[in-house]
Amino acid sequence: MSPKPINVLITGTNRGIGLEMVRQLMEDKGRVKKMFACCRDPNGPKAEALQALANKHPDIITIVAIDVNNLESIKEAAQLIRSQLGGSGLNLLVNNAGIALEGNLQEITTKDMQDSFNTNVLGPMNIIKEFLPLLREAVKASGISGMSCNKAAVINITSMEASMDVTKHSYAEAAIVPFRVSKAALNMLTVCAAEEMKKEKILFCMLHPGWVRTDTGGQWAEIDVKVSVKGMLKVIATMADKHNGLFLDYEGTTLPW
Ligand SMILES: NC(=O)c1ccc[n+]([C@@H]2O[C@H](COP(=O)([O-])OP(=O)(O)OC[C@H]3O[C@@H](n4cnc5c(N)ncnc54)[C@H](OP(=O)(O)O)[C@@H]3O)[C@@H](O)[C@H]2O)c1
């Protein structure tokens, strides 16, 4: 029996990995009941591809304004989404929006690090906190036993470059200190959330998308956005209790801390 259609929220969906996630989830017919595709400027020119996709699926996709650096915009979005869900809750929340500021320790500024923490750590933290009531509603409404994205799951898009072990080998080619440090903090936030929420059966996991050809990954990156997202959606779909708090890549491989 195929699972019930789920309600999904993804941040940073106007381009890159977020946009492709919305696209592939729409291709999986009947998989999604409501898709809240969030971006900073829904009516701006940078959201045209997302608007076109939403026009194709008007009953499923709602484009919602969220700047993850702005708590008020998160709170307003949570209110709007709650009113649209009518008690069925949010099954899958993907904290995808992120920035990747470069530079080694001697080059970076306090502002680089503050901006990175605001977007990559405080953004996901505030999203989790504000949408927790809707994740809890999804647990209640699901009627299924174990943890899964059919019940309530939060996926934080992180990076392999946040790994201490990986950094020892890759730092010389890519310092990207604000990115590494903020994504490592995001990983710790995810593990803390996983521990705190496991009794409520809300799953938390972090996923490295691969080195992907997007504005962030650059044109020389290893994989296409389609491959990355296909892999991540497959991994997300198979997640269960044993995946709670894990650091995985888009192929489901566990990464070292
Ligand atoms: N590509 C890779 O190789 C790679 C590797 C490891 C991890 N990642 C992670 O994957 C995620 C997606 O990255 P991507 O490759 O798709 O990059 P991308 O094409 O540069 O897209 C980044 C997305 O994040 C959004 N964003 C940034 N700051 C935001 C904010 N304050 N509020 C709301 N949205 C914001 C951007 O929106 P705007 O258009 O408004 O700026 C855009 O939609 C990020 O978390 C990134 O760190 C990517």
Side-chain angles (χ1 to χ4, degrees):
M1 200 175 70
S2 57
K4 248 178 32 184
I6 57 173
N7 297 322
V8 183
L9 181 151
I10 306 173
T11 62
T13 57
N14 58 307
R15 57 190 169 102
I17 290 168
L19 178 64
E20 182 62 21
M21 258 193 189
V22 178
R23 191 173 280 137
Q24 289 193 20
L25 281 167
M26 288 307 106
E27 283 167 6
D28 192 354
K29 297 259 178 286
R31 181 78 185 107
V32 177
K33 187 170 176 207
K34 289 280 175 205
M35 163 67 72
F36 299 99
C38 306
C39 67
R40 283 198 262 212
D41 184 13
N43 300 314
K46 274 168 52 181
E48 275 172 12
L50 180 61
Q51 288 159 6
L53 195 54
N55 288 340
K56 270 206 226 165
H57 306 277
D59 298 336
I60 304 177
I61 301 179
T62 305
I63 304 181
V64 179
I66 290 187
D67 178 340
V68 302
N69 294 346
N70 179 337
L71 181 56
E72 268 320 296
S73 82
I74 298 173
K75 283 181 185 284
E76 277 172 25
Q79 249 183 1
L80 175 100
I81 291 171
R82 156 164 263 160
S83 71
Q84 293 203 9
L85 284 176
S88 56
L90 201 56
N91 305 103
L92 174 63
L93 190 168
V94 183
N95 276 310
N96 165 72
I99 56 169
L101 299 184
E102 295 179 5
N104 67 27
L105 193 55
Q106 299 163 80
E107 292 161 342
I108 60 166
T109 62
T110 302
K111 186 174 181 307
D112 291 336
M113 200 59 108
Q114 283 170 338
D115 288 349
S116 301
F117 265 73
N118 281 338
T119 305
N120 296 349
V121 188
L122 300 178
M125 180 191 86
N126 285 323
I127 296 263
I128 291 165
K129 288 176 66 154
E130 295 303 323
F131 284 94
L132 204 48
L134 292 183
L135 292 160
R136 288 188 174 124
E137 280 186 5
V139 171
K140 244 200 218 161
S142 76
I144 39 181
S145 52
M147 287 186 189
S148 76
C149 70
N150 296 318
K151 188 175 193 159
V154 176
I155 308 299
N156 290 334
I157 304 298
T158 182
S159 172
M160 193 167 129
E161 306 304 337
S163 159
M164 315 281 159
D165 283 359
V166 170
T167 298
K168 289 177 197 157
H169 306 290
S170 63
Y171 192 80
E173 289 86 56
I176 47 172
V177 172
F179 184 62
R180 288 183 191 276
V181 176
S182 60
K183 290 290 191 182
L186 174 66
N187 285 0
M188 180 55 91
L189 180 85
T190 314
V191 173
C192 293
E195 285 304 309
E196 197 168 321
M197 304 299 165
K198 65 182 177 196
K199 57 184 177 302
E200 299 199 46
K201 295 288 174 198
I202 302 171
L203 188 152
F204 285 80
C205 195
M206 60 228 93
L207 274 185
H208 164 60
W211 184 22
V212 193
R213 288 190 287 277
T214 62
D215 293 339
T216 286
Q219 62 174 322
W220 308 116
E222 277 166 5
I223 56 169
D224 182 56
V225 72
K226 285 192 186 330
V227 172
S228 166
V229 169
K230 191 171 176 212
M232 286 196 287
L233 290 178
K234 193 169 161 200
V235 174
I236 291 170
T238 57
M239 278 179 186
D241 293 55
K242 65 180 182 188
H243 297 97
N244 193 39
L246 291 190
F247 179 18
L248 304 174
D249 74 4
Y250 71 104
E251 291 178 310
T253 307
T254 301
L255 297 173
W257 296 112

